[in-house]
Amino acid sequence: MTAAAPAPTSMIDRIAQILDAFDGPGSLTLTQVVSRTGLPRSSAHRILEHLVRVRWLRRDEHSYHLGLRMLELGTLAGHHHELRGAATAHLHDLAHSTGMVVHLTVLDGPDIVYLDKVGGRFGVRVPSRVGGRAPAHVTGAGKALLAYADESVVRSVLSRPIRVPTSASIASEHRLRSELARVQDRGVAFDREESATGIGCVGAPLGTPGSPVAAISVCGPIGRMNFE
């Protein structure tokens, strides 16, 4: 169960926290929203109903879903993102030539955010989605970015319990720092079933050497990956 966050004070903060609670597929009930946000039930209900009226959310009999207006705004933001626009053709070319799933990502604190995802039938097995997040330290693209990030960013990963999605995930500061040093030496990063069992990825930074603005990763069945 997700621990409730401290209750925000301003109305904008409350709206943002409610919308952040929908970071994932599916719907939420009022009780689930209250649990995830820490807001009083009456306040959460009032804000949810207002968001329904302005089409940011939609409601069925017992639960709330992200609404069409959120989809419209998110799609508009994605299409106008300069990085995504510049990389799209190259992502499709790489996916076609490798037969793998290709991601374009940026670093946001201790996480990566997926700006784009291109791939064939195997794509449904890779637990990623455009606009979604993943811990940077267990992904190829994330490690490719962390290796060149400020020390404060690396510390933000280490300042909280290190997430270990699989038994292969990095789980200690020593191992993480050693891995990031190897990324700097070889220029690429590997994910050997660290983010999802059965899946491997190779990630590389994009942009000025030593100061990347994004990263690209190629992911596929672990048995088809070559980490040499």
Side-chain angles (χ1 to χ4, degrees), residues 104-221:
L104 177 68
T105 67
V106 292
L107 191 65
D108 185 26
D111 298 328
I112 56 168
V113 177
Y114 293 98
L115 298 185
D116 209 346
K117 176 181 181 179
V118 180
R121 289 176 296 176
F122 186 76
V124 298
R125 292 181 52 193
V126 179
S128 58
R129 61 179 177 83
V130 176
R133 291 175 173 265
H137 67 284
V138 299
T139 63
K143 285 186 280 188
L145 291 167
L146 280 179
Y148 302 99
D150 291 339
E151 173 64 17
S152 61
V153 178
V154 179
R155 288 191 177 278
S156 73
V157 175
L158 300 170
S159 65
R160 60 184 184 181
I162 296 181
R163 289 173 283 179
V164 285
T166 75
S167 60
S169 301
I170 291 176
S172 70
E173 177 176 357
H174 174 75
R175 186 180 168 196
L176 176 60
R177 291 193 180 279
S178 296
E179 179 73 4
L180 297 183
R182 285 194 291 270
V183 173
Q184 290 180 344
D185 288 340
R186 63 198 175 205
V188 295
F190 301 138
D191 165 7
R192 301 177 177 88
E193 297 187 278
E194 297 167 53
S195 58
T197 301
I199 296 171
C201 300
V202 177
L206 299 175
T208 305
S211 183
V213 296
I216 194 169
S217 66
V218 177
C219 304

Side-chain angles (χ1 to χ4, degrees), residues 9-178:
T9 54
S10 75
M11 179 57 69
I12 292 178
D13 287 340
R14 292 185 176 200
I15 292 172
Q17 191 159 358
I18 284 180
L19 293 176
D20 283 346
F22 289 85
D23 184 17
S27 60
L28 295 176
T29 64
L30 172 59
T31 299
Q32 289 173 316
V33 171
V34 169
S35 175
R36 293 189 181 192
T37 63
L39 291 170
R41 188 179 183 89
S42 58
S43 297
H45 183 259
R46 182 172 63 254
I47 295 171
L48 285 167
E49 289 299 311
H50 185 77
L51 292 174
V52 169
R53 289 196 293 274
V54 296
R55 298 172 54 236
W56 284 22
L57 298 177
R58 62 182 177 86
R59 173 174 47 79
D60 58 25
E61 186 176 359
H62 300 295
S63 59
Y64 296 87
H65 312 253
L66 290 177
L68 289 177
R69 186 55 180 158
M70 292 294 291
L71 176 63
E72 293 165 358
L73 292 174
T75 301
L76 185 63
H79 282 308
H80 285 80
H81 199 290
E82 292 182 4
L83 284 173
R84 186 179 182 187
T88 295
H90 301 289
L91 299 182
H92 283 272
D93 287 345
L94 188 55
H96 177 73
S97 63
T98 63
M100 303 287 189
V101 177
V102 180
H103 296 113
L104 177 68
T105 67
V106 292
L107 191 65
D108 185 26
D111 298 328
I112 56 168
V113 177
Y114 293 98
L115 298 185
D116 209 346
K117 176 181 181 179
V118 180
R121 289 176 296 176
F122 186 76
V124 298
R125 292 181 52 193
V126 179
S128 58
R129 61 179 177 83
V130 176
R133 291 175 173 265
H137 67 284
V138 299
T139 63
K143 285 186 280 188
L145 291 167
L146 280 179
Y148 302 99
D150 291 339
E151 173 64 17
S152 61
V153 178
V154 179
R155 288 191 177 278
S156 73
V157 175
L158 300 170
S159 65
R160 60 184 184 181
I162 296 181
R163 289 173 283 179
V164 285
T166 75
S167 60
S169 301
I170 291 176
S172 70
E173 177 176 357
H174 174 75
R175 186 180 168 196
L176 176 60
R177 291 193 180 279
S178 296

